[in-house]
Amino acid sequence: MAADARTTSSEVAAPSPAAPEPVGVEAPDERAVMKEAWRALSVVSLASVFSGMSGSALNVALPTVVRHFDASATAASWMLLAFMLANTVMMIFFGRLADMFGRRQMYLMGLATFTFASFLCGLAPNAWVVVGLRVLQAAGAAMLLTNSAAIVTAAFPRARLGQGMGIYLASFSVAQLLGPTVGGVLAEHAGWRWVFWFNVPVGLICLAWGAWALPRVARAGERQGIDVTGNLLILVALGSGLAALSQATTLGWTSWLVIGGLVVFVLGMPTFVLFERRVTHPLVDMTLFRNRPFALGLMASFLNSTSQAGVLLLFSLYFQAVQGVDPLTAGLRVLPLAVATLVFSSSSGLFQRWIAPRALAVVGNLCTGAGLVVLAWSVITEADYVAIAAGLVLAGAGSGLFMPSNTTALMGDMSHERLGIANAMRLMLQQSGFVLGTAVVLSVLTAPLAPELRQFAFAGTLSDVSAEGLADLLTGYRWTLFTMLALNTATVLTSLAALRASRRRLREEVTPPEGPTTAG
């Protein structure tokens, strides 16, 4: 589709008959294409920054929102989890719709949906209405995320795509960098409603700019059906498992609701896999898993997302619930995580000149593990902020190294005609890891707390309510960080397996097959 879009653009702009261009001189067509590409990139990058900031801002402002509504621990959890779950299961669905109706239309619809949902969130009368509107926000975000990389790919010539994609991916690091500070400032000085309303003016600007700047490209390729059953299966299976994890600490692991949710998850996922192997237009292309390095790389991406999902939220709450600081100070204290991610993500391409992408992914995972060790030690010993900041820097550096490197390795394994579905699968599994990781973090963190104290932990006021409860929360932090370390160990081992599988396949491709020998 990207190639078709660029070909069409060239055919429209080129004079007929085409005069030969001198060697080394940029053709007028190329200048026009690049001008259009930079406009498209400006829309996508700005939208990625403002939509990405929304989530990280709410992570820091969550205690303020919880206090306003006097929300339960369950409602507080689902303000975060509902967005991630809905966003995950809608990604490939909206990718299919974009193939049918065009990426430009779907992208602009996503901007409008996300902006309108943000406005409504600020008017919500209670916590559970916020949860429901976060689902609507997630739908808009899914329309944006599934189409952003495709818009950049279609706009840029292949020789300049790396430059455009690097800027696009850096926009998420900028969002992570700005979001906690913006969330803290708004929660402290403007009130909880502006944690959502700050999206509205930026969203309207993006919508107007996108309507003018995004190129109108006709849909290319065969129209495929929508795997409605597959979407419903993954929604029910993942939703049930997530609900069970969320309620386990409140209702107990022996509750029939918790057990039932886990049973539905355990039975639903194999059913989903079996169905996807037989459907004509599957939500997930199962044949891609025959490529062993690709399959292991996807698993590493999933495990990495799971092991790192809660770092920002965990320490935003730690600074408020344990150390008793205000939301703005908490937002500033978690900035080292985002800064390190931005720096090392931007530098990943430079490192890949000397280190293979899969090897660099392993280095990133080891760096994340070192950061988690430092953070666990800091909590156990109640160390000062310098130690926590060092752990956040290491964790951020590991994330910044792993994500671009692993993505490069995954996409490099695919033929051009399968890049779209491969990227959609990567996004879905990555987001699934964040969903499950956040659920695990919230469940393990609050497990040692008495049920009546859990809402104070999310409100950031536990240190003012109960000294005994604060000690239990610190126990939950230790359990949570050890759990994340175990997941990180699994990520390192999986990344190493992907590296070995890739090297083995390369040796097999380089070594010529043995044939019959002739006597001489």
Side-chain angles (χ1 to χ4, degrees), residues 219-262:
R219 187 186 62 84
E222 179 185 354
R223 177 172 293 188
Q224 296 183 344
I226 299 174
D227 183 11
V228 177
T229 305
N231 275 281
L232 291 175
L233 282 173
I234 196 71
L235 174 63
V236 171
L238 267 182
S240 298
L242 185 59
L245 285 171
S246 174
Q247 296 301 304
T249 54
T250 302
L251 302 177
W253 289 97
T254 57
S255 166
W256 68 270
L257 285 173
V258 174
I259 295 173
L262 292 175

Side-chain angles (χ1 to χ4, degrees), residues 38 49 67 131 144 174 185 214 236 252 275 289 293 295 426 443 445 456 502 518:
W38 288 118
V49 169
R67 285 195 297 269
V131 172
L144 297 176
V174 173
V185 169
L214 290 179
V236 171
F275 177 81
F289 289 100
R426 179 188 68 83
S443 296
L445 176 65
F456 298 108
S502 177
T518 57

Side-chain angles (χ1 to χ4, degrees), residues 420-443:
I421 186 62
N423 188 55
M425 290 171 61
R426 179 188 68 83
L427 285 170
M428 189 178 72
L429 285 173
Q430 179 179 302
Q431 288 297 105
S432 296
F434 279 117
V435 170
L436 294 177
T438 302
V440 169
V441 163
L442 295 177
S443 296

Side-chain angles (χ1 to χ4, degrees), residues 379-405:
V379 170
I380 291 171
T381 62
E382 298 185 29
D384 59 16
Y385 174 68
V386 173
I388 297 176
L392 292 174
V393 167
L394 284 170
S399 179
L401 289 174
F402 174 82
M403 293 298 291
S405 304

Side-chain angles (χ1 to χ4, degrees), residues 99-185:
D99 288 337
M100 297 172 63
F101 301 109
R103 297 197 180 279
R104 181 181 184 276
Q105 291 86 337
M106 189 60 60
Y107 195 81
L108 294 177
M109 187 182 298
L111 280 171
T113 302
F114 189 89
T115 303
F116 183 59
S118 298
F119 174 72
L120 293 180
C121 280
L123 300 176
N126 60 62
W128 286 106
V129 172
V130 173
V131 172
L133 291 170
R134 289 280 286 165
V135 173
L136 184 60
Q137 260 193 331
M143 295 183 213
L144 297 176
L145 189 58
T146 54
N147 290 296
S148 296
I151 288 173
V152 174
T153 302
F156 277 81
R158 182 61 57 183
R160 304 288 294 274
L161 179 59
Q163 184 181 8
M165 196 63 73
I167 295 173
Y168 159 63
L169 291 174
S171 65
F172 292 101
S173 297
V174 173
Q176 190 182 28
L177 179 64
L178 296 177
T181 304
V182 170
V185 169

Side-chain angles (χ1 to χ4, degrees), residues 156-315:
F156 277 81
R158 182 61 57 183
R160 304 288 294 274
L161 179 59
Q163 184 181 8
M165 196 63 73
I167 295 173
Y168 159 63
L169 291 174
S171 65
F172 292 101
S173 297
V174 173
Q176 190 182 28
L177 179 64
L178 296 177
T181 304
V182 170
V185 169
L186 292 174
E188 184 74 14
H189 299 290
W192 71 272
R193 300 181 192 277
W194 283 99
V195 175
F196 300 104
W197 281 350
F198 86 93
N199 291 315
V200 176
V202 184
L204 292 175
I205 292 171
C206 285
L207 186 60
W209 177 239
W212 180 82
L214 290 179
R216 298 178 183 272
V217 180
R219 187 186 62 84
E222 179 185 354
R223 177 172 293 188
Q224 296 183 344
I226 299 174
D227 183 11
V228 177
T229 305
N231 275 281
L232 291 175
L233 282 173
I234 196 71
L235 174 63
V236 171
L238 267 182
S240 298
L242 185 59
L245 285 171
S246 174
Q247 296 301 304
T249 54
T250 302
L251 302 177
W253 289 97
T254 57
S255 166
W256 68 270
L257 285 173
V258 174
I259 295 173
L262 292 175
V263 168
V264 171
F265 174 77
V266 170
L267 296 178
M269 291 308 295
T271 302
F272 170 75
V273 172
L274 291 173
F275 177 81
E276 292 298 289
R277 296 179 67 176
R278 291 169 172 79
V279 71
T280 305
H281 300 296
L283 181 69
V284 175
D285 186 356
M286 293 297 172
T287 62
L288 290 175
F289 289 100
R290 296 172 187 168
N291 181 334
R292 184 172 174 81
F294 178 78
L296 289 168
L298 279 183
M299 181 56 65
S301 181
F302 172 79
L303 290 171
N304 178 74
S305 299
T306 305
S307 66
Q308 291 205 46
V311 175
L312 176 62
L313 172 62
L314 202 61
F315 281 89

